[in-house]
Amino acid sequence: MAPSLCAICKTERALIKRPKNHAKLCKTCFITIFEDEVHHTITSSKLFYPGEKVAIGASGGKDSTVLASVLKTLNERHNYGLDLVLLSIDEGIKGYRDDSLETVKRNAVQYEMPLKVVGYDELYGWTMDQVVETIGKKGNCTYCGVFRRQALDRGAKMLDIKHVVTGHNADDVAETILMNLLRGDLSRLSRSTSIVTGDSKSDVKRSKPLKYAYEKEIVLYAHHKKLDYFSTECIYSPEAFRGSARSLIKQLERVRPSAILDIVRSGEDMARLVPGESSSTCGGTCKEKKTTAPVAVEDDIGGCGSTNSRAPGGEMAAMEKQLRENEASEGLEVDITKTVSQRKDGATDNQKALPLRNANKNSKPITRQVLGNCKRCGYMSSQDICQACMLLEGLNKNRPQIQI
Amino acid sequence: MGDSVPAPDKPTIPITVDFSGGLEMLFSNQKRHSLTIPATDSNEKPATIAFLIDHLCKNLMTDPRSEMFVLDKHIRPGILVLINDADWELEGEEAYELQPKDNILFVSTLHGG
Ligand SMILES: [Zn+2]
Ligand SMILES: [Zn+2]
């Protein structure tokens, strides 16, 4: 095959074929367009304000490393005026974080950013090793995931930072949309599409500037910019990435690369149909603009393995269980606003009832949750006691007596 | 090293193969491998990427979890293949015929971010 030339500069050899539009690009043009698109996401969603202090949730993995690198570049190129800090979570799994923390430490030097490492022991009084000692290896990913979701926020609070950015990419968002679609949970689906989570009630805002970036391009960006990142899998779930919604996403991508962003856009479109929920959309194309709807951080993508969590394989079953339990309690604790309320066109009840499967006892009506704060820790939660505090209560009851 | 030594009379090609993104775990935890592979397959056809993938599974992989690398005899979706730094989609994917001194990189996007 004769080498093709870059579609942009028409001089260099093309090395990248973009999944979203099949454009063949050279290394330099690819890096530029990748950065430009993240810049576009940031400005069109008005993610930052000048002088804002922002913590980058950093695991040493590819996504957060690329996020840190791109944010540093854009902050300097476009004068965002951001004060960037790397924030890492140490789950307390012996040996597991050693290499990734070393990577983050090198990143801190490479990107000239301060680094703060916060441990589960500091935040919860438990390391993951101690959790596993107490409850065994089964189901510990649930603990790890729930704890991690709050860990960044709590760590940010300790640093007096009100905005945490994470490296969640388009594949992550598509995966979450798909899982919620499979479960028929439109409410959670719509929230998962939002680029920003957290609202005035919560102390810490969360956002994902790489929401429209393909995982493939993130890896290629890291490769061509020779970024220093670390790959690992959680030692407590070595089978983690088998048979997951993730695999399905990757297979779809193989057949039709644009599928990933199509799922993200479909999720956003569906979100707009869920009353009380809306999400900022741009999809990299800016077909329309919407106000950003802040959503509960608790419902953000969760799981295990890194700051950028996955919800794969065997973990999916655990997550299903967790979600079922949540739903059971949600019914009692959440202030439900019936969304099948008066329509302006005066449609009859019969017509309204049709599209919703309310007849099915198991399917909840599409509702908007009213968020409150956890009565124990104050963390934003749709329940009286947040998931982390519930899990901690169980753990503390089971804490081995013979502790010195 | 599990590198195979081809029969002496058969022509071979020297290549380097890199693994990253966690795939190195399957190949003696080593990122770079300098290999000498047969220039043709059992049907005397030039060695392609498809041939190389099969060759790597049979001769270089040290971890039994081959499904982390191949599924249904093809590279697992989510693993990127770069041929001399170019996306293999630009080079004919599995049908690409290996040339001496080629560098083939397999990088997983599937491991923790
Ligand atoms: Zn170019
Ligand atoms: Zn709480």
Side-chain angles (χ1 to χ4, degrees):
Chain A
M1 273 198 176
S4 1
L5 290 179
C6 171
I8 295 178
C9 66
K10 312 245 185 333
T11 51
E12 297 296 314
R13 181 182 162 218
L15 293 180
I16 288 102
K17 188 176 169 194
R18 302 199 74 193
K20 65 195 276 183
N21 56 11
H22 306 280
K24 299 171 181 178
L25 302 182
C26 75
K27 182 171 134 179
T28 314
C29 292
F30 165 71
I31 287 172
T32 306
I33 205 165
F34 183 90
E35 290 163 352
D36 285 351
E37 288 180 1
V38 178
H39 173 61
H40 175 82
T41 302
I42 288 170
T43 50
S44 62
S45 315
K46 299 192 176 63
L47 280 192
F48 306 122
Y49 60 83
E52 190 170 13
K53 200 167 184 190
V54 177
I56 302 169
S59 66
K62 58 183 172 17
D63 301 292
S64 58
T65 302
V66 166
L67 181 61
S69 170
V70 171
L71 281 186
K72 180 185 168 62
T73 304
L74 295 178
N75 193 30
E76 287 167 3
R77 182 180 300 158
H78 299 287
N79 301 308
Y80 290 169
L82 299 180
D83 185 1
L84 297 168
V85 176
L86 294 174
L87 176 58
S88 282
I89 303 303
D90 188 349
E91 296 88 347
I93 302 173
K94 230 175 201 69
Y96 168 57
R97 277 293 172 208
D98 297 357
D99 293 329
S100 52
L101 283 178
E102 282 312 309
T103 311
V104 179
K105 281 178 197 162
R106 286 197 304 275
N107 289 160
V109 177
Q110 289 152 359
Y111 305 140
E112 299 165 294
M113 291 177 196
L115 165 65
K116 172 77 184 169
V117 181
V118 193
Y120 274 16
D121 48 349
E122 273 177 86
L123 296 172
Y124 304 106
W126 288 81
T127 66
M128 272 315 290
D129 282 338
Q130 289 167 336
V131 171
V132 170
E133 232 171 79
T134 307
I135 66 153
K137 289 195 181 185
K138 220 178 156 201
N140 71 78
C141 281
T142 307
Y143 288 79
C144 202
V146 168
F147 286 169
R148 188 193 324 274
R149 259 168 272 170
Q150 291 193 9
L152 284 173
D153 298 52
R154 291 181 178 207
K157 238 188 236 180
M158 281 168 60
L159 296 177
D160 201 25
I161 298 178
K162 297 191 166 48
H163 191 169
V164 175
V165 289
T166 57
H168 290 106
N169 58 44
D171 295 51
D172 295 323
V173 176
E175 179 185 19
T176 311
I177 289 170
L178 210 55
M179 301 233 309
N180 285 313
L181 188 66
L182 293 174
R183 282 203 317 266
D185 192 340
L186 276 187
S187 189
R188 197 170 261 120
L189 181 150
S190 78
R191 272 168 287 156
S192 67
T193 63
S194 184
I195 193 166
V196 177
T197 55
D199 67 2
S200 51
K201 269 187 187 168
S202 62
D203 300 313
V204 179
K205 164 181 163 181
R206 286 261 212 124
S207 65
K208 16 185 197 274
L210 299 182
K211 180 191 168 189
Y212 297 110
Y214 275 78
E215 187 159 61
K216 174 178 173 178
E217 295 203 346
I218 287 173
V219 170
L220 289 175
Y221 184 89
H223 171 74
H224 289 297
K225 281 208 87 173
K226 298 190 169 37
L227 300 185
D228 182 7
Y229 72 93
F230 181 74
S231 326
T232 188
E233 56 185 320
C234 177
I235 56 165
Y236 289 133
S237 63
E239 299 288 302
F241 74 177
R242 280 212 287 179
S244 58
R246 193 60 160 209
S247 300
L248 180 55
I249 296 272
K250 295 296 187 189
Q251 280 162 29
L252 286 172
E253 182 186 28
R254 190 88 182 89
V255 179
R256 197 169 57 92
S258 64
I260 291 176
L261 271 188
D262 290 342
I263 292 172
V264 173
R265 292 200 188 100
S266 301
E268 291 172 345
D269 288 345
M270 282 187 272
R272 239 171 282 122
L273 299 175
V274 179
E277 317 271 0
S278 62
S279 84
S280 71
T281 54
C282 126
T285 58
C286 251
K287 14 177 211 195
E288 55 193 295
K289 285 218 181 138
K290 287 259 171 173
T291 48
T292 303
V295 299
V297 178
E298 284 230 310
D299 297 311
D300 202 354
I301 306 163
C304 196
S306 64
T307 303
N308 273 304
S309 37
R310 302 271 179 271
E315 196 187 337
M316 216 158 138
M319 196 168 145
E320 279 289 339
K321 190 165 165 280
Q322 179 75 30
L323 287 167
R324 270 198 307 276
E325 284 161 7
N326 293 348
E327 274 172 29
S329 52
E330 248 170 352
L332 300 169
E333 296 177 5
V334 172
D335 181 10
I336 289 167
T337 336
K338 273 265 183 203
T339 53
V340 200
S341 51
Q342 301 301 321
R343 265 171 46 181
K344 281 174 197 151
D345 56 8
T348 69
D349 281 332
N350 279 346
Q351 284 169 312
K352 282 181 270 171
L354 275 175
L356 297 170
R357 300 172 305 148
N358 285 352
N360 181 348
K361 267 188 177 174
N362 295 324
S363 75
K364 294 185 300 172
I366 301 170
T367 56
R368 180 182 192 182
Q369 295 180 346
V370 177
L371 297 171
N373 295 83
C374 169
K375 295 205 163 117
R376 302 240 168 102
C377 69
Y379 185 82
M380 187 170 71
S381 170
S382 51
Q383 295 157 53
D384 265 4
I385 309 292
C386 77
Q387 291 179 5
C389 288
M390 298 274 266
L391 292 178
L392 278 175
E393 187 179 288
L395 277 176
N396 289 332
K397 274 185 200 149
N398 289 319
R399 195 186 280 277
Q401 306 292 312
I402 19 147
Q403 275 197 11
I404 311 154
Chain B
M1 292 229 323
D3 302 8
S4 71
V5 184
D9 51 328
K10 284 249 182 186
T12 59
I13 20 180
I15 58 169
T16 53
V17 177
D18 290 335
F19 299 100
S20 74
L23 283 177
E24 61 274 23
M25 288 187 304
L26 305 178
F27 298 90
S28 9
N29 250 314
Q30 188 183 322
K31 283 187 181 262
R32 168 153 293 186
H33 297 257
S34 297
L35 303 180
T36 306
I37 61 157
T40 54
D41 64 14
S42 52
N43 298 320
E44 304 302 320
K45 296 257 167 50
T48 60
I49 294 284
F51 171 79
L52 174 68
I53 291 168
D54 185 52
H55 180 85
L56 294 173
C57 288
K58 286 178 177 149
N59 300 292
L60 200 66
M61 196 180 292
T62 50
D63 193 294
R65 292 173 293 174
S66 63
E67 75 279 1
M68 290 168 82
F69 187 58
V70 285
L71 277 182
D72 304 325
K73 300 196 167 173
H74 296 286
I75 207 80
R76 188 187 170 104
I79 294 175
L80 308 182
V81 186
L82 301 191
I83 301 170
N84 301 319
D85 238 15
D87 192 326
W88 75 332
E89 290 178 41
L90 298 169
E91 303 285 340
E93 306 193 14
E94 286 185 349
Y96 172 84
E97 292 176 6
L98 291 163
Q99 308 297 320
K101 295 190 182 159
D102 271 350
N103 172 262
I104 314 296
L105 166 66
F106 297 93
V107 50
S108 174
T109 66
L110 296 163
H111 285 76

